[in-house]
Amino acid sequence: MIEIFFSCLALGAVVGFLAGLFGIGGGLIIVPVLVYLFPLVGIPNEYLMSMALGTSFSTIVVTAFSAAHRHHKNGNVDWQVSKYFIPALMISVFIAGFAVTSVPKEQMSKIFAVIVLFLAGKMLFSLKKKASQVKPITPQSTIIAGSIIGVISSMAGIAGGGLIVPYLDGRGIEMKRAIGTSSFCGALLGVSATFSFIFNGWNMPNLPEYSLGYVYLPALLGITLTSFFTSKLGANAANVLPVPVLKKAFAVLLVCIAINMFLK
């Protein structure tokens, strides 16, 4: 368990910075790393993806809230959009969690990899639309988008930033505000998803010690101890670095993660 804890400290430092920088929760990196680490503490194969997803969501709560707080201080959270996004995200991700935990690990791994490739493609090939091409953002479209993103997020253990940011950007929200709003929405999505995975994993047989449903507490502690601080650094960097260029570099990393998940 000590080895897992220290590995998660390093993992948290990386994903925290990326979470603040890109408005994501870090699950795209956390999930495959935990799938690799969890067999070392005796987590049964049939629970591997559920534990990785549940633990990922629990870390997102801390990481995304920390990043969102800094983005709010920088004036980069759109509260008008958030009030429609958040209920749709929280309800859909909670309900989807019941279905996700019953899907076999091999299928979930491939679903995860497909979602990662899709998000990478959006990052690599999306171009800023001209003002005349931007669709207006409405409560109805935001609720529908939030519901769909919530379901996809539940399958991938992510805060939805890879989908929320492109959606808001495509609806005319300035990139930095899209990233900040995504962090805040993702934090509350993580709260709902965490409760769903705890509930679904409650009293399941053969789970390791220090598990709360499908959340492995030592990994949660290790990741959030560092991600809480580095997420603030990433949020500050988002104000000064060329985010579109960095997003393309990050997309290449996502492709590598997806290929690795397919091969395994």
Side-chain angles (χ1 to χ4, degrees):
M1 188 181 74
I2 295 298
E3 294 84 356
I4 298 291
F5 177 75
F6 282 109
S7 297
C8 288
L9 285 175
L11 175 62
V14 174
V15 300
F17 184 80
L18 293 175
L21 185 60
F22 296 121
I24 62 174
L28 294 172
I29 296 175
I30 293 172
V31 172
V33 172
L34 293 185
V35 167
Y36 172 78
L37 291 176
F38 277 171
L40 302 179
V41 292
I43 293 177
N45 188 63
E46 62 268 26
Y47 299 148
L48 209 50
M49 277 301 292
S50 294
M51 289 291 290
L53 292 170
T55 305
S56 172
F57 277 122
S58 67
T59 67
I60 284 170
V61 175
V62 177
T63 303
F65 265 125
S66 175
H69 178 258
R70 185 53 57 94
H71 281 298
H72 171 60
K73 281 192 169 183
N74 293 335
N76 290 329
V77 175
D78 191 316
W79 299 106
Q80 185 67 20
V81 172
S82 298
K83 73 179 183 181
Y84 296 109
F85 242 134
I86 290 168
L89 287 168
M90 294 184 73
I91 293 171
S92 61
V93 77
F94 184 85
I95 295 174
F98 287 84
V100 167
T101 53
S102 64
V103 178
K105 175 218 166 188
E106 290 74 17
Q107 294 181 26
M108 275 306 306
S109 296
K110 288 180 171 55
I111 292 173
F112 177 88
V114 170
I115 292 172
V116 171
L117 283 175
F118 172 73
L119 297 180
K122 288 185 70 68
M123 288 184 185
L124 280 171
F125 301 114
S126 63
L127 297 174
K128 184 71 176 179
K129 294 182 179 180
K130 296 179 181 179
S132 59
Q133 297 176 311
V134 174
K135 297 179 181 179
I137 191 165
T138 65
Q140 292 84 356
S141 64
T142 303
I143 291 171
I144 293 171
S147 300
I148 296 172
I149 292 171
V151 173
I152 296 174
S153 297
S154 184
M155 294 180 180
I158 59 177
L163 294 170
I164 295 173
V165 172
Y167 169 77
L168 295 179
D169 181 48
R171 297 282 173 157
I173 305 295
E174 194 265 333
M175 179 62 78
K176 291 179 182 178
R177 286 181 67 80
I179 291 173
T181 304
S182 172
S183 292
F184 181 71
C185 292
L188 291 173
L189 180 153
V191 171
S192 182
T194 299
F195 279 116
S196 180
F197 277 85
I198 290 174
F199 180 83
N200 280 288
W202 199 259
N203 289 330
M204 292 297 287
N206 302 320
L207 290 180
E209 288 186 305
Y210 310 110
S211 295
L212 186 64
Y214 287 129
V215 175
Y216 187 57
L217 297 177
L220 165 62
L221 179 62
I223 292 171
T224 55
L225 275 176
T226 49
S227 68
F228 178 81
F229 300 101
T230 57
S231 62
K232 296 181 183 294
L233 298 177
N236 286 335
N239 262 344
V240 296
L241 295 177
V243 175
V245 174
L246 291 173
K247 285 175 76 70
K248 290 181 173 61
F250 186 55
V252 174
L253 175 61
L254 297 185
V255 171
C256 295
I257 292 172
I259 292 173
N260 182 61
M261 293 293 284
F262 267 123
L263 293 177
K264 290 190 174 183

